[in-house]
Amino acid sequence: GGGGKSRIDPLQVPRPVAPVVEEVKEWFTKSLATNPVPPAGTNFRVVDDGNCSPRFMRLSINQFPSTKELATRMSLPIAASIQPLALVPHDEDQVQLVSDHSQGPIRCRRCRAYINCHVQFVDGGRHWSCNLCGMSNAVEPDYFCTLDAHGVRRDAAQRPELSKGSVDFAASQEYFNRPAMAPAVMYAIDVSATAVRGGLLHAAVQAVRESVQALAKPGAADPRTLVGLITFDAQIHFYNLHSDASGDAPAMSVL
């Protein structure tokens, strides 16, 4: 009945096993099929040999249900944590910048996917097939290189975009049709009663304060950087942070 004791023994509820402190192990990004992604709280060193580092993108589960029926029975939500600018430990190779193409990043002419280590070069290296849509794209003369006996470009190891799972592309002036926009940082803070009681709001405010102070340091950010603030509970609150706004407290709009 409702007044009876709970049948669930809290001591029997499974809990995550605390990770054992051990020496840092290398994890190769192409070993995903045989070597699961290391837990986020463990020590590991990523070796990018052709797939995205889990520091930049990580799924909530490592194995997907093989059938629709199994997925329905599992009823587990699937999410992805994406942090393209996540910090890379000093003992790992930093993300390399690709900037040697005068017309900006090379992209598929149909789906606009960026050239990457999974595209296939054909026709003696004169064309490349997009790994997303299958479109055949001509290789420009200044980017051409012959293929080896396995159909791999002979300079692939020297080109990060053809050998690494994560790279940064430098966009040239020809790449965009308007001046580069000012970078913007938007902070979203949970101000619900649960967040207040659990200390999440206090921790978030402290983190935002430290982040803003770091951005304000000379040379830390583009001087044009814009900063915005949103708070939310059952509603969303927007704030006018312009320095010329009237009054001491910023005006708030509720949506």
Side-chain angles (χ1 to χ4, degrees), residues 20-250:
V20 179
V21 178
E22 56 184 14
E23 60 181 81
V24 178
K25 294 184 177 180
E26 289 189 339
W27 186 78
F28 291 81
T29 57
K30 274 195 172 180
S31 68
L32 184 60
T34 56
N35 193 9
V37 177
T42 59
N43 292 325
F44 59 93
R45 179 178 180 273
V46 176
V47 179
D48 184 348
D49 61 348
N51 273 328
C52 178
S53 166
R55 303 193 191 281
F56 303 136
M57 183 179 296
R58 178 186 290 270
L59 293 175
S60 57
I61 59 176
N62 288 333
Q63 285 81 31
F64 282 84
S66 58
T67 64
K68 184 177 180 180
E69 178 185 2
L70 183 57
T72 302
R73 291 172 57 189
M74 286 178 58
S75 300
L76 289 176
I78 300 175
S81 172
I82 303 174
Q83 300 183 81
L85 301 179
L87 295 178
V88 177
H90 67 277
D91 61 340
E92 290 184 15
D93 292 336
Q94 301 298 304
V95 176
Q96 298 187 48
L97 176 66
V98 179
S99 60
D100 57 352
H101 196 258
S102 59
Q103 298 182 358
I106 298 175
R107 305 179 69 178
C108 173
R109 58 193 177 94
R110 179 162 66 187
C111 74
R112 308 305 294 163
Y114 293 89
I115 196 167
N116 59 80
C117 58
H118 298 290
V119 305
Q120 183 178 5
F121 286 88
V122 296
D123 190 22
R126 298 179 182 84
H127 292 83
W128 60 275
S129 298
C130 177
N131 58 307
L132 297 185
C133 72
M135 183 69 180
S136 178
N137 299 271
V139 175
E140 297 183 13
D142 62 346
Y143 195 74
F144 174 78
C145 181
T146 57
L147 309 181
D148 63 15
H150 302 285
V152 178
R153 280 178 59 122
R154 299 183 186 277
D155 65 345
Q158 286 73 48
R159 290 191 174 276
E161 71 273 23
L162 301 182
S163 58
K164 302 294 184 181
S166 302
V167 296
D168 285 336
F169 285 105
S172 64
Q173 187 63 41
E174 293 79 7
Y175 180 71
F176 44 87
N177 55 16
R178 63 181 179 183
M181 299 177 64
V185 180
M186 179 65 72
Y187 298 100
I189 303 177
D190 184 350
V191 294
S192 64
T194 302
V196 174
R197 289 193 302 268
L200 177 60
L201 176 58
H202 176 74
V205 170
Q206 289 296 110
V208 169
R209 180 181 289 113
E210 293 176 4
S211 176
V212 171
Q213 291 173 347
L215 289 173
K217 293 180 179 179
D222 190 315
R224 303 173 302 151
T225 300
L226 303 175
V227 174
L229 177 65
I230 295 175
T231 56
F232 62 91
D233 44 22
Q235 298 173 313
I236 304 177
H237 320 108
F238 300 90
Y239 299 87
N240 182 0
L241 302 180
H242 284 291
S243 58
D244 57 353
S246 59
D248 296 331

Side-chain angles (χ1 to χ4, degrees), residues 4-24:
K5 293 182 62 177
S6 173
R7 296 182 180 180
I8 300 176
D9 182 358
L11 298 178
Q12 300 300 319
V13 176
R15 288 175 171 80
V17 178
V20 179
V21 178
E22 56 184 14
E23 60 181 81
V24 178

